[in-house]
Amino acid sequence: MATSIPCLVAGLTRNRAGHSIILRSSTFSTAAAAETLQEQVLVTRSNADEQDSGPNSSQHATRVSSVPPLLSSATELVDGLLDRTAKLVDMDASNNIAFSGGVDSSLAAALVHQVFASNSKLIVGTNNSSSESKSGNVRAVLGLSPAVPEEQVDIARQVAAQIGIELLEIETDEGKDPTYVANAGKACLACKTHLYSALEAVAEAAMTSASASSTGGNGPPRRVILFNGTNADDTRDPTRLGLVAASNFRVESPLLHTTKADVRRAAKHLGLPNHDYAAAPCLRSRLAFGVEATKRHLQAVGEAERRVRAALELDPTTNLRVRMLARNQAMVELDQHVLIDTDAENLLDREGFETVFQELGFASYGVRAFKSGAMAAVAK
């Protein structure tokens, strides 16, 4: 019988800074999804050679030839990631993944969940005494704020349900932090500090509650481990001050030595639906250096992107940004091929987007080719 794993009951707790954190509970049916993901990992290990010798083997060989020779197949790639993850997961700990629904954190969540579930089965199969079972748990935690668009929340819920992992949604309060709002080069550090503080506080509150209600047995988890989806490419980007916050909180990443290309390859191998989705950083990243990260500004760029994507009929694999520049100027950024194929600038003009942007509080708008990190800046 399929079972559901409920999240923490909605309530109120506080992080280490004393700020309130609102919890929202989400419950997903997990048995079928978890079993499917486990089968994908196990089955592909045994039939990879058979697949490579099929009718499309020559095409497959051409595709693989462009991949660095360190990992010759997606199966070996996933095996290696599972081995690394197994060294990070603690069966007696509360294992919490900072989850956004992006491909990086989705793969991290899938790996941590898979390792924990597999080890749990091994423990049940080898121990006759329930007192020897482990006391830990695993969950994905999604931070909610005006910087997270509704569409991304929906994707996160869908991916978590497919993985079969418990999903906890919490409201974060970086919007009250002057450093974050100023957006003068350290907003990402401030934001991630609030996020990891909230994750830590929620996990510790759950452990305290479990300890108070425990009447024996295995008791609550003994410690908290935080995970994220930081990959090897991220570590080479000097503008990612969120990595400083991750270091401060000793956050682990199963993907630390894995390139973005291999992250997508592994995610596809595990059947994650967002394996080829365009990157979806928070809406604060749309704001030019010095443009304040207020709720009004964040909602304006979010709604603008929503309307542009609908007008151009873009799917989630296409890059789209609406940047808020100085003096309330909007800049729509699209993949180069979309600019050409859809004649985007003229289409938006015909659809009356000058009025649309004005209604959203922008003075004017332009259109140009997408460039990742166009708004990135670090305070000296």
Side-chain angles (χ1 to χ4, degrees):
M1 179 180 297
T3 59
S4 297
I5 302 177
C7 294
L8 298 175
V9 177
L12 190 68
T13 184
R14 293 182 181 275
N15 62 16
R16 60 167 68 174
H19 298 303
S20 297
I21 304 170
I22 300 174
L23 309 184
R24 296 183 181 180
S25 66
S26 301
T27 305
F28 294 106
S29 179
T30 64
E35 183 176 351
T36 298
L37 188 62
Q38 293 171 16
E39 288 177 352
Q40 287 174 326
V41 175
L42 297 175
V43 170
T44 51
R45 292 180 182 178
S46 64
N47 68 6
D49 292 338
E50 179 181 344
Q51 291 176 349
D52 288 348
S53 62
N56 295 322
S57 59
S58 61
Q59 180 180 0
H60 175 77
T62 301
R63 186 166 61 248
V64 170
S65 64
S66 63
V67 177
L70 294 177
L71 296 167
S72 60
S73 74
T75 301
E76 290 177 357
L77 171 60
V78 171
D79 283 348
L81 288 170
L82 287 169
D83 289 342
R84 170 173 167 75
T85 306
K87 298 175 182 178
L88 302 176
V89 171
D90 186 342
M91 299 299 291
D92 281 321
S94 177
N95 300 272
N96 296 265
I97 303 98
F99 186 68
S100 69
V103 64
D104 298 311
S105 65
S106 295
L107 179 58
L111 292 169
V112 173
H113 176 70
Q114 171 66 27
V115 166
F116 193 90
S118 297
N119 287 346
S120 295
K121 287 185 176 181
L122 288 174
I123 292 170
V124 171
T126 57
N127 290 333
N128 295 324
S129 172
S130 61
S131 64
E132 296 183 30
S133 298
K134 300 300 182 178
S135 59
N137 56 47
V138 58
R139 66 168 65 87
V141 185
L142 173 64
L144 303 177
S145 78
V148 182
E150 295 176 4
E151 296 83 357
Q152 192 60 32
V153 174
D154 290 339
I155 290 173
R157 290 169 178 166
Q158 293 166 11
V159 174
Q162 176 156 335
I163 293 172
I165 192 169
E166 176 187 353
L167 176 63
L168 177 65
E169 300 176 8
I170 62 174
E171 291 187 357
T172 57
D173 58 359
E174 66 274 8
K176 298 177 183 178
D177 188 329
T179 300
Y180 174 81
V181 175
N183 191 30
K186 294 186 178 180
C188 187
L189 173 58
C191 178
K192 293 300 186 183
T193 297
H194 281 272
L195 175 64
Y196 295 135
S197 180
L199 263 65
E200 194 176 67
V202 167
E204 289 176 350
M207 289 168 57
T208 300
S209 177
S211 179
S213 60
S214 177
T215 57
N218 302 319
R222 298 174 185 173
R223 67 187 181 110
V224 175
I225 303 178
L226 303 182
F227 295 87
N228 65 16
T230 298
N231 63 55
D233 294 347
D234 295 333
T235 63
R236 293 189 284 270
D237 184 349
T239 68
R240 290 182 177 269
L241 292 186
L243 298 181
V244 176
S247 177
N248 291 340
F249 282 83
R250 299 182 180 181
V251 180
E252 303 283 2
S253 174
L255 316 179
L256 192 61
H257 306 298
T258 307
T259 65
K260 184 73 171 191
D262 277 342
V263 167
R264 292 192 181 279
R265 200 155 62 100
K268 181 179 181 180
H269 190 68
L270 291 178
L272 298 182
N274 57 346
H275 69 88
D276 61 347
Y277 282 14
C282 73
L283 295 176
R284 199 277 313 162
S285 67
R286 315 301 200 264
L287 308 180
F289 184 84
V291 174
E292 290 190 339
T294 63
K295 183 176 181 180
R296 181 173 67 85
H297 287 165
L298 296 170
Q299 289 178 335
V301 295
E303 181 61 23
E305 286 190 2
R306 191 172 298 114
R307 296 195 191 186
V308 171
R309 189 173 290 277
L312 299 179
E313 299 180 347
L314 304 178
D315 64 30
T317 66
T318 302
N319 284 299
L320 164 66
R321 302 284 189 276
V322 173
R323 312 286 191 187
M324 178 177 282
L325 309 180
R327 297 182 295 278
N328 285 337
Q329 305 295 309
M331 184 59 66
V332 178
E333 293 187 359
L334 297 159
D335 285 332
Q336 184 67 44
H337 72 89
V338 176
L339 284 175
I340 298 172
D341 295 345
T342 66
D343 191 17
E345 188 168 4
N346 287 329
L347 189 153
L348 293 176
D349 184 57
R350 292 195 301 270
E351 293 291 327
F353 266 78
E354 182 175 357
T355 301
V356 170
F357 277 101
Q358 288 175 352
E359 291 174 348
L360 292 174
F362 294 96
S364 63
Y365 82 98
V367 180
R368 68 187 182 192
F370 167 74
K371 180 181 179 182
S372 180
M375 299 291 99
V378 179
K380 300 298 184 182

